[in-house]
Coordinates of all heavy atoms in Angstrom, one line a residue:
M1 N 8.7 22.2 -3.2 CA 8.9 20.8 -2.8 C 9.6 20.1 -3.9 O 9.1 20.1 -5.0 CB 7.6 20.2 -2.3 CG 7.7 18.8 -1.7 SD 6.1 18.2 -1.1 CE 6.1 18.8 0.5
T2 N 10.5 19.3 -3.6 CA 11.2 18.5 -4.6 C 10.5 17.2 -4.9 O 9.6 16.8 -4.2 CB 12.7 18.1 -4.2 OG1 12.5 17.2 -3.1 CG2 13.5 19.3 -3.8
L3 N 10.9 16.6 -6.0 CA 10.2 15.3 -6.4 C 10.5 14.3 -5.3 O 9.6 13.5 -5.0 CB 10.8 14.8 -7.8 CG 10.3 13.5 -8.2 CD1 8.8 13.5 -8.4 CD2 10.9 13.1 -9.5
Q4 N 11.7 14.3 -4.8 CA 12.0 13.4 -3.7 C 11.1 13.5 -2.5 O 10.5 12.6 -2.0 CB 13.5 13.6 -3.3 CG 13.9 12.9 -2.1 CD 15.4 13.2 -1.6 OE1 16.1 13.6 -2.5 NE2 15.6 13.0 -0.4
E5 N 10.9 14.8 -2.1 CA 10.0 15.1 -0.9 C 8.6 14.6 -1.3 O 7.9 14.1 -0.4 CB 10.1 16.5 -0.6 CG 11.4 16.9 0.0 CD 11.6 18.4 0.1 OE1 10.9 19.2 -0.7 OE2 12.3 18.9 1.0
Q6 N 8.1 14.9 -2.5 CA 6.8 14.5 -2.8 C 6.6 13.0 -2.8 O 5.6 12.5 -2.4 CB 6.4 15.1 -4.2 CG 6.3 16.6 -4.2 CD 6.1 17.2 -5.6 OE1 6.3 16.5 -6.6 NE2 5.7 18.4 -5.7
L7 N 7.6 12.3 -3.4 CA 7.4 10.8 -3.3 C 7.5 10.3 -1.9 O 6.7 9.3 -1.6 CB 8.6 10.2 -4.2 CG 8.5 10.4 -5.7 CD1 9.7 9.9 -6.4 CD2 7.2 9.7 -6.3
L8 N 8.3 10.9 -1.0 CA 8.3 10.4 0.4 C 7.0 10.7 1.0 O 6.5 9.9 1.8 CB 9.5 11.1 1.1 CG 10.8 10.6 0.7 CD1 11.9 11.4 1.4 CD2 11.0 9.1 1.0
D9 N 6.3 11.9 0.7 CA 5.0 12.2 1.3 C 4.0 11.2 0.8 O 3.1 10.7 1.5 CB 4.6 13.6 0.9 CG 5.3 14.7 1.8 OD1 6.0 14.3 2.8 OD2 5.2 15.8 1.4
L10 N 4.1 10.8 -0.5 CA 3.2 9.8 -1.1 C 3.4 8.5 -0.5 O 2.4 7.8 -0.3 CB 3.4 9.8 -2.7 CG 2.5 8.9 -3.5 CD1 1.0 9.3 -3.2 CD2 2.9 8.9 -4.9
D11 N 4.6 8.1 -0.2 CA 4.9 6.9 0.5 C 4.2 6.8 1.8 O 3.6 5.7 2.1 CB 6.4 6.7 0.7 CG 6.8 5.4 1.2 OD1 6.6 4.4 0.4 OD2 7.3 5.3 2.3
V12 N 4.1 7.8 2.6 CA 3.4 7.8 3.8 C 1.9 7.6 3.6 O 1.3 6.8 4.3 CB 3.7 9.2 4.6 CG1 2.7 9.3 5.7 CG2 5.1 9.2 5.0
T13 N 1.4 8.2 2.6 CA 0.0 8.1 2.2 C -0.3 6.7 1.8 O -1.4 6.1 2.2 CB -0.4 9.1 1.1 OG1 -0.1 10.5 1.7 CG2 -1.9 9.0 0.8
V14 N 0.5 6.1 1.0 CA 0.3 4.7 0.5 C 0.3 3.8 1.7 O -0.5 2.9 1.7 CB 1.4 4.4 -0.6 CG1 1.4 2.9 -0.8 CG2 1.2 5.1 -1.8
N15 N 1.2 4.0 2.6 CA 1.3 3.1 3.8 C -0.1 3.3 4.6 O -0.6 2.2 5.2 CB 2.4 3.5 4.7 CG 3.7 2.9 4.0 OD1 3.7 1.9 3.3 ND2 4.8 3.5 4.3
R16 N -0.6 4.4 4.7 CA -1.8 4.6 5.5 C -3.0 3.9 4.7 O -3.8 3.3 5.4 CB -2.2 6.1 5.6 CG -1.3 6.9 6.6 CD -1.7 8.3 6.6 NE -0.8 9.0 7.6 CZ -0.7 10.3 7.6 NH1 -1.4 11.0 6.8 NH2 0.1 10.9 8.5
I17 N -3.0 4.1 3.4 CA -4.1 3.3 2.6 C -3.9 1.8 2.8 O -4.9 1.1 3.0 CB -4.0 3.7 1.2 CG1 -4.5 5.2 1.0 CG2 -4.8 2.8 0.3 CD1 -4.1 5.7 -0.4
S18 N -2.7 1.4 2.8 CA -2.5 -0.1 3.0 C -3.0 -0.6 4.4 O -3.6 -1.7 4.5 CB -1.0 -0.4 2.9 OG -0.5 -0.1 1.6
R19 N -2.8 0.3 5.4 CA -3.3 -0.1 6.7 C -4.8 -0.2 6.8 O -5.4 -1.0 7.4 CB -2.7 0.8 7.8 CG -1.3 0.6 8.1 CD -0.7 1.3 9.3 NE -1.0 2.7 9.4 CZ -0.2 3.7 8.9 NH1 1.0 3.3 8.5 NH2 -0.6 4.9 9.0
G20 N -5.4 0.8 6.1 CA -6.9 0.8 6.0 C -7.4 -0.4 5.2 O -8.4 -1.0 5.7
I21 N -6.8 -0.8 4.2 CA -7.2 -2.0 3.4 C -7.1 -3.2 4.4 O -7.9 -4.0 4.3 CB -6.4 -2.1 2.1 CG1 -6.8 -1.0 1.2 CG2 -6.6 -3.5 1.5 CD1 -5.9 -0.8 0.0
H22 N -6.0 -3.2 5.0 CA -5.8 -4.4 6.0 C -6.8 -4.5 7.0 O -7.4 -5.5 7.4 CB -4.4 -4.3 6.7 CG -4.0 -5.5 7.5 ND1 -3.9 -6.7 7.0 CD2 -3.9 -5.5 8.8 CE1 -3.6 -7.5 8.0 NE2 -3.6 -6.8 9.1
A23 N -7.3 -3.3 7.6 CA -8.4 -3.3 8.5 C -9.7 -3.8 7.9 O -10.4 -4.6 8.5 CB -8.6 -1.9 9.1
V24 N -10.0 -3.4 6.7 CA -11.2 -3.9 6.0 C -11.1 -5.4 5.8 O -12.1 -6.2 6.0 CB -11.4 -3.1 4.7 CG1 -12.6 -3.8 3.9 CG2 -11.7 -1.7 4.9
F25 N -9.9 -5.9 5.4 CA -9.7 -7.3 5.2 C -9.9 -8.1 6.5 O -10.6 -9.1 6.5 CB -8.2 -7.5 4.8 CG -7.8 -8.9 4.6 CD1 -8.2 -9.6 3.5 CD2 -7.1 -9.6 5.6 CE1 -7.8 -11.0 3.4 CE2 -6.7 -10.9 5.5 CZ -7.1 -11.6 4.4
L26 N -9.5 -7.5 7.6 CA -9.7 -8.2 8.9 C -11.2 -8.2 9.3 O -11.7 -9.2 9.8 CB -8.9 -7.5 10.1 CG -7.4 -7.7 9.9 CD1 -6.7 -6.9 11.0 CD2 -7.0 -9.2 10.0
I27 N -11.9 -7.1 9.0 CA -13.3 -7.1 9.3 C -14.0 -8.2 8.4 O -14.9 -8.9 8.8 CB -13.9 -5.7 8.9 CG1 -13.4 -4.7 10.0 CG2 -15.4 -5.7 8.9 CD1 -13.7 -3.3 9.7
S28 N -13.6 -8.3 7.1 CA -14.2 -9.2 6.2 C -13.9 -10.7 6.8 O -14.8 -11.5 6.7 CB -13.6 -9.1 4.9 OG -14.0 -10.1 4.0
R29 N -12.7 -10.9 7.2 CA -12.4 -12.3 7.8 C -13.3 -12.6 9.0 O -13.8 -13.7 9.2 CB -10.9 -12.4 8.2 CG -9.9 -12.4 7.1 CD -10.1 -13.4 6.1 NE -10.8 -12.7 5.0 CZ -11.3 -13.2 3.9 NH1 -11.1 -14.5 3.6 NH2 -12.0 -12.5 3.0
G30 N -13.5 -11.6 9.8 CA -14.3 -11.7 11.0 C -15.8 -12.0 10.6 O -16.5 -12.8 11.2
L31 N -16.3 -11.3 9.6 CA -17.7 -11.5 9.1 C -17.8 -12.9 8.5 O -19.0 -13.4 8.3 CB -18.1 -10.4 8.2 CG -18.3 -9.0 8.8 CD1 -18.6 -8.0 7.8 CD2 -19.4 -9.1 9.9
D32 N -16.7 -13.5 8.0 CA -16.8 -14.8 7.4 C -17.4 -15.8 8.4 O -18.0 -16.8 8.0 CB -15.4 -15.3 7.0 CG -15.1 -14.8 5.6 OD1 -16.0 -14.3 4.9 OD2 -13.9 -14.9 5.2
Q33 N -17.2 -15.6 9.7 CA -17.7 -16.4 10.7 C -19.2 -16.3 10.9 O -19.9 -17.3 11.3 CB -17.1 -16.1 12.1 CG -15.6 -16.1 12.1 CD -15.0 -17.5 11.7 OE1 -15.5 -18.5 12.2 NE2 -14.1 -17.4 10.8
A34 N -19.8 -15.2 10.4 CA -21.2 -15.0 10.4 C -21.9 -15.5 9.1 O -21.1 -15.6 8.1 CB -21.6 -13.5 10.6
V35 N -23.1 -15.9 9.2 CA -23.8 -16.3 7.9 C -24.5 -15.1 7.4 O -25.5 -14.8 7.8 CB -24.8 -17.5 8.2 CG1 -25.5 -17.9 7.0 CG2 -24.0 -18.7 8.8
D36 N -23.8 -14.4 6.5 CA -24.3 -13.2 5.9 C -24.0 -13.2 4.4 O -22.9 -13.3 4.0 CB -23.6 -12.0 6.6 CG -24.2 -10.7 6.2 OD1 -24.8 -10.6 5.1 OD2 -24.0 -9.7 7.0
P37 N -25.1 -13.0 3.6 CA -24.9 -13.1 2.1 C -24.1 -11.9 1.6 O -23.5 -12.0 0.5 CB -26.3 -13.1 1.6 CG -27.2 -12.5 2.7 CD -26.5 -12.9 4.0
D38 N -23.9 -10.8 2.4 CA -23.2 -9.7 1.9 C -21.7 -9.8 2.1 O -20.9 -9.0 1.6 CB -23.6 -8.4 2.7 CG -25.1 -8.0 2.4 OD1 -25.5 -8.3 1.3 OD2 -25.8 -7.5 3.3
V39 N -21.3 -10.9 2.8 CA -19.9 -11.1 3.0 C -19.1 -11.4 1.7 O -18.0 -10.9 1.5 CB -19.6 -12.3 4.0 CG1 -18.1 -12.6 4.1 CG2 -20.1 -11.9 5.4
D40 N -19.7 -12.0 0.8 CA -19.0 -12.3 -0.5 C -18.8 -11.0 -1.2 O -17.6 -10.8 -1.8 CB -19.9 -13.2 -1.4 CG -20.0 -14.6 -0.9 OD1 -19.1 -15.0 -0.2 OD2 -21.0 -15.3 -1.3
G41 N -19.6 -10.0 -1.1 CA -19.4 -8.7 -1.7 C -18.2 -8.0 -1.1 O -17.4 -7.4 -1.8
L42 N -18.1 -8.1 0.2 CA -17.0 -7.5 1.0 C -15.8 -8.2 0.6 O -14.7 -7.6 0.4 CB -17.3 -7.5 2.5 CG -16.3 -6.7 3.4 CD1 -16.2 -5.2 2.9 CD2 -16.7 -6.8 4.8
D43 N -15.7 -9.5 0.5 CA -14.6 -10.2 0.1 C -14.1 -9.8 -1.3 O -12.9 -9.6 -1.5 CB -14.9 -11.8 0.0 CG -14.9 -12.4 1.4 OD1 -14.5 -11.7 2.4 OD2 -15.5 -13.5 1.5
A44 N -15.0 -9.6 -2.3 CA -14.6 -9.1 -3.5 C -14.0 -7.7 -3.5 O -13.0 -7.5 -4.2 CB -15.9 -9.1 -4.5
I45 N -14.5 -6.8 -2.7 CA -13.9 -5.5 -2.5 C -12.6 -5.6 -1.9 O -11.6 -4.9 -2.4 CB -14.9 -4.6 -1.6 CG1 -16.2 -4.3 -2.4 CG2 -14.2 -3.4 -1.2 CD1 -17.2 -3.6 -1.6
C46 N -12.4 -6.5 -0.9 CA -11.1 -6.7 -0.3 C -10.0 -7.1 -1.3 O -8.9 -6.7 -1.3 CB -11.2 -7.6 0.9 SG -12.0 -6.9 2.4
E47 N -10.5 -8.0 -2.1 CA -9.5 -8.6 -3.1 C -9.2 -7.5 -4.1 O -8.0 -7.3 -4.4 CB -10.2 -9.8 -3.9 CG -9.2 -10.4 -4.8 CD -9.9 -11.6 -5.6 OE1 -10.7 -12.3 -5.0 OE2 -9.5 -11.9 -6.7
Y48 N -10.1 -6.7 -4.6 CA -9.9 -5.6 -5.5 C -8.9 -4.6 -4.8 O -7.9 -4.2 -5.5 CB -11.1 -5.0 -5.9 CG -10.9 -3.7 -6.6 CD1 -10.6 -3.7 -8.0 CD2 -11.2 -2.5 -6.1 CE1 -10.4 -2.5 -8.7 CE2 -10.9 -1.3 -6.7 CZ -10.5 -1.3 -8.1 OH -10.4 -0.1 -8.8
L49 N -9.2 -4.2 -3.6 CA -8.4 -3.2 -2.9 C -7.0 -3.7 -2.7 O -6.0 -3.0 -2.8 CB -9.0 -2.8 -1.6 CG -10.3 -1.9 -1.7 CD1 -10.9 -1.7 -0.4 CD2 -10.0 -0.6 -2.4
S50 N -6.9 -5.0 -2.3 CA -5.6 -5.6 -2.1 C -4.7 -5.6 -3.3 O -3.5 -5.2 -3.3 CB -5.7 -7.0 -1.5 OG -4.5 -7.7 -1.4
D51 N -5.3 -6.0 -4.4 CA -4.6 -6.1 -5.7 C -4.1 -4.6 -6.1 O -3.0 -4.4 -6.5 CB -5.5 -6.6 -6.8 CG -5.7 -8.1 -6.6 OD1 -5.0 -8.7 -5.8 OD2 -6.6 -8.7 -7.3
S52 N -5.0 -3.7 -5.9 CA -4.7 -2.2 -6.3 C -3.6 -1.7 -5.4 O -2.7 -1.0 -5.9 CB -6.0 -1.4 -6.2 OG -6.9 -1.8 -7.1
D53 N -3.6 -2.1 -4.1 CA -2.7 -1.7 -3.1 C -1.2 -2.2 -3.6 O -0.2 -1.5 -3.6 CB -3.0 -2.1 -1.7 CG -2.0 -1.7 -0.7 OD1 -1.6 -0.6 -0.6 OD2 -1.5 -2.6 0.0
K54 N -1.2 -3.5 -4.0 CA 0.1 -4.0 -4.4 C 0.6 -3.4 -5.6 O 1.9 -3.1 -5.7 CB -0.1 -5.6 -4.7 CG -0.4 -6.4 -3.4 CD -0.7 -7.8 -3.7 CE -1.2 -8.5 -2.5 NZ -1.7 -9.8 -2.9
I55 N -0.3 -3.0 -6.6 CA 0.2 -2.3 -7.8 C 0.7 -1.0 -7.4 O 1.7 -0.5 -7.9 CB -1.0 -2.3 -8.8 CG1 -1.3 -3.6 -9.4 CG2 -0.6 -1.3 -10.0 CD1 -2.6 -3.8 -10.1
L56 N -0.1 -0.2 -6.6 CA 0.3 1.1 -6.2 C 1.7 1.1 -5.5 O 2.6 1.9 -5.8 CB -0.7 1.7 -5.3 CG -0.5 3.1 -4.8 CD1 -0.3 4.1 -5.9 CD2 -1.6 3.5 -3.8
R57 N 1.9 0.1 -4.6 CA 3.1 0.0 -3.9 C 4.3 -0.3 -4.8 O 5.4 0.4 -4.7 CB 3.0 -1.1 -2.8 CG 4.2 -1.4 -2.0 CD 4.4 -0.4 -0.8 NE 5.3 0.6 -1.2 CZ 5.5 1.7 -0.5 NH1 4.7 2.0 0.6 NH2 6.4 2.6 -0.8
K58 N 4.1 -1.1 -5.7 CA 5.1 -1.5 -6.7 C 5.5 -0.3 -7.6 O 6.7 0.0 -7.8 CB 4.6 -2.7 -7.6 CG 5.7 -3.2 -8.5 CD 5.2 -4.4 -9.4 CE 6.2 -4.9 -10.4 NZ 5.7 -6.0 -11.1
Q59 N 4.5 0.4 -8.1 CA 4.7 1.6 -8.8 C 5.5 2.7 -8.1 O 6.4 3.3 -8.6 CB 3.4 2.1 -9.5 CG 2.9 1.2 -10.6 CD 1.5 1.6 -11.0 OE1 0.8 2.4 -10.4 NE2 1.2 1.2 -12.2
L60 N 5.1 2.9 -6.9 CA 5.7 4.0 -6.1 C 7.2 3.6 -5.8 O 8.1 4.3 -5.8 CB 5.0 4.2 -4.8 CG 5.6 5.2 -3.8 CD1 5.8 6.6 -4.4 CD2 4.8 5.3 -2.5
D61 N 7.4 2.3 -5.4 CA 8.8 1.8 -5.2 C 9.6 2.0 -6.5 O 10.8 2.4 -6.3 CB 8.7 0.4 -4.7 CG 8.2 0.2 -3.3 OD1 8.1 1.2 -2.6 OD2 7.9 -1.0 -3.0
C62 N 9.0 1.7 -7.6 CA 9.8 1.9 -8.8 C 10.2 3.4 -9.0 O 11.3 3.7 -9.4 CB 8.9 1.5 -10.0 SG 9.8 1.6 -11.6
C63 N 9.2 4.3 -8.7 CA 9.5 5.7 -8.8 C 10.6 6.2 -7.8 O 11.5 6.9 -8.2 CB 8.3 6.6 -8.6 SG 7.0 6.5 -9.8
L64 N 10.5 5.7 -6.6 CA 11.5 5.9 -5.6 C 12.9 5.4 -6.0 O 13.9 6.1 -5.8 CB 11.1 5.4 -4.2 CG 10.0 6.1 -3.5 CD1 9.5 5.2 -2.4 CD2 10.4 7.5 -3.0
D65 N 12.9 4.2 -6.5 CA 14.2 3.6 -7.0 C 14.8 4.5 -8.2 O 16.0 4.7 -8.2 CB 14.0 2.2 -7.5 CG 13.8 1.3 -6.3 OD1 14.1 1.6 -5.2 OD2 13.3 0.1 -6.6
T66 N 14.0 4.9 -9.1 CA 14.5 5.7 -10.2 C 15.0 7.0 -9.7 O 16.2 7.5 -10.1 CB 13.3 6.0 -11.2 OG1 12.8 4.8 -11.6 CG2 13.7 6.9 -12.3
V67 N 14.4 7.7 -8.7 CA 15.0 8.9 -8.2 C 16.2 8.6 -7.4 O 17.2 9.4 -7.5 CB 13.9 9.6 -7.3 CG1 14.6 10.8 -6.5 CG2 12.7 10.1 -8.1
R68 N 16.3 7.5 -6.6 CA 17.5 7.2 -6.0 C 18.7 7.0 -6.9 O 19.8 7.5 -6.7 CB 17.3 5.9 -5.2 CG 16.5 6.0 -4.0 CD 16.4 4.7 -3.2 NE 15.4 4.7 -2.2 CZ 14.4 3.9 -2.1 NH1 14.2 3.0 -3.0 NH2 13.5 4.1 -1.1
Q69 N 18.4 6.3 -8.0 CA 19.5 6.1 -9.0 C 19.9 7.3 -9.7 O 21.1 7.5 -10.0 CB 19.0 5.0 -10.0 CG 18.8 3.6 -9.5 CD 18.2 2.7 -10.6 OE1 17.8 3.1 -11.7 NE2 17.9 1.5 -10.1
S70 N 19.0 8.2 -9.9 CA 19.4 9.5 -10.5 C 20.2 10.4 -9.6 O 21.0 11.2 -10.1 CB 18.1 10.2 -11.1 OG 17.4 10.8 -10.0
M71 N 20.1 10.1 -8.3 CA 20.9 10.9 -7.3 C 22.2 10.2 -7.0 O 23.0 10.7 -6.2 CB 20.1 11.0 -6.0 CG 18.8 11.8 -6.2 SD 17.8 11.9 -4.7 CE 18.9 12.8 -3.6
G72 N 22.5 9.1 -7.7 CA 23.8 8.5 -7.6 C 23.9 7.6 -6.3 O 24.9 7.4 -5.8
G73 N 22.7 7.1 -5.9 CA 22.8 6.2 -4.7 C 21.5 6.3 -3.9 O 20.5 6.8 -4.4
C74 N 21.7 6.0 -2.6 CA 20.5 6.0 -1.8 C 20.9 6.8 -0.5 O 21.4 6.2 0.5 CB 20.2 4.6 -1.5 SG 18.6 4.4 -0.5
P75 N 20.7 8.1 -0.5 CA 21.0 8.8 0.8 C 20.1 8.4 1.9 O 19.1 7.9 1.8 CB 20.7 10.3 0.4 CG 20.4 10.3 -1.0 CD 20.2 8.9 -1.5
A76 N 20.7 8.6 3.2 CA 20.0 8.2 4.4 C 18.5 8.7 4.4 O 17.6 8.0 4.9 CB 20.8 8.7 5.6
I77 N 18.3 9.9 4.0 CA 17.0 10.5 4.0 C 15.9 9.7 3.1 O 14.8 9.8 3.3 CB 16.9 12.0 3.6 CG1 15.6 12.6 3.9 CG2 17.3 12.2 2.2 CD1 15.5 14.1 3.8
F78 N 16.5 9.0 2.2 CA 15.7 8.3 1.2 C 15.3 6.9 1.6 O 14.9 6.1 0.7 CB 16.4 8.4 -0.1 CG 15.4 8.8 -1.3 CD1 15.3 10.1 -1.5 CD2 14.7 7.9 -1.9 CE1 14.4 10.6 -2.5 CE2 13.8 8.3 -2.9 CZ 13.7 9.6 -3.2
H79 N 15.5 6.5 2.8 CA 15.1 5.1 3.1 C 13.6 5.0 3.5 O 13.3 5.1 4.7 CB 16.0 4.6 4.3 CG 17.4 4.3 3.9 ND1 17.8 3.2 3.2 CD2 18.5 5.0 4.1 CE1 19.0 3.2 3.0 NE2 19.5 4.4 3.5
A80 N 12.8 5.0 2.5 CA 11.4 4.9 2.7 C 11.0 3.5 3.1 O 11.5 2.5 2.6 CB 10.6 5.2 1.5
P81 N 10.1 3.4 4.1 CA 9.8 2.1 4.6 C 9.0 1.3 3.6 O 8.2 1.8 2.9 CB 8.8 2.4 5.8 CG 8.3 3.8 5.6 CD 9.4 4.5 4.8
K82 N 9.3 0.0 3.4 CA 8.6 -0.8 2.5 C 7.3 -1.4 3.2 O 7.3 -1.7 4.4 CB 9.5 -2.0 2.1 CG 10.8 -1.6 1.4 CD 10.4 -1.1 0.0 CE 11.7 -0.7 -0.8 NZ 11.5 -0.2 -2.0
N83 N 6.3 -1.5 2.4 CA 5.0 -2.0 3.0 C 5.2 -3.5 3.0 O 5.5 -4.2 2.0 CB 3.9 -1.6 2.1 CG 2.6 -1.9 2.7 OD1 2.5 -2.1 3.9 ND2 1.5 -1.9 1.8
S84 N 4.8 -4.1 4.1 CA 4.9 -5.6 4.2 C 3.7 -6.2 3.6 O 2.7 -5.6 3.3 CB 5.0 -6.1 5.7 OG 3.8 -5.6 6.4
Q85 N 3.8 -7.5 3.2 CA 2.7 -8.2 2.6 C 1.6 -8.3 3.7 O 1.8 -8.8 4.8 CB 3.1 -9.6 2.2 CG 2.1 -10.4 1.6 CD 1.6 -9.9 0.3 OE1 2.4 -9.3 -0.5 NE2 0.4 -10.2 -0.1
L86 N 0.4 -7.7 3.4 CA -0.7 -7.7 4.3 C -1.6 -8.9 4.3 O -2.3 -9.3 5.2 CB -1.5 -6.4 4.2 CG -0.7 -5.2 4.5 CD1 -1.5 -4.0 4.2 CD2 -0.2 -5.1 5.9
F87 N -1.7 -9.5 3.1 CA -2.7 -10.5 2.8 C -2.1 -11.8 2.5 O -1.2 -11.9 1.7 CB -3.7 -10.1 1.8 CG -4.3 -8.7 2.1 CD1 -3.9 -7.6 1.5 CD2 -5.3 -8.6 3.1 CE1 -4.4 -6.4 1.7 CE2 -5.8 -7.4 3.4 CZ -5.4 -6.3 2.7

């Protein structure tokens, strides 16, 4: 498996993780409506995961861009989907 293929596989995994973080974020927002002392802890976890997700996405995008540049452009197979801002 080439580096390009590995990065594209990693991109899919990063997108899945991002969707999972978004789901936890939505649960946290829903629990904000309840009076529960544990919600603050879940909010802290959501913030940490969201920040980590943004860093991971930025680093992976940098790797993908570096490989694209080394290949002399951006072939059609290399159009990895960008993760939208979730939070």
Side-chain angles (χ1 to χ4, degrees):
M1 183 177 275
T2 67
L3 176 60
Q4 171 184 338
E5 292 167 332
Q6 291 174 344
L7 288 173
L8 290 172
D9 285 349
L10 182 59
D11 186 67
V12 170
T13 302
V14 168
N15 285 334
R16 287 180 182 164
I17 289 171
S18 295
R19 288 192 307 264
I21 291 170
H22 185 64
V24 172
F25 176 79
L26 292 174
I27 291 168
S28 175
R29 293 303 97 184
L31 290 174
D32 277 344
Q33 303 302 315
V35 179
D36 188 337
D38 295 328
V39 172
D40 288 339
L42 188 56
D43 285 344
I45 291 170
C46 285
E47 184 178 331
Y48 169 78
L49 289 174
S50 176
D51 290 346
S52 297
D53 180 54
K54 290 173 190 172
I55 292 167
L56 179 60
R57 177 83 258 165
K58 183 176 179 180
Q59 289 174 336
L60 178 58
D61 287 346
C62 182
C63 290
L64 288 167
D65 288 344
T66 299
V67 171
R68 285 182 191 123
Q69 291 171 2
S70 72
M71 295 176 66
C74 187
I77 190 171
F78 227 89
H79 288 284
K82 298 288 183 181
N83 190 21
S84 62
Q85 179 69 30
L86 297 177
F87 306 101

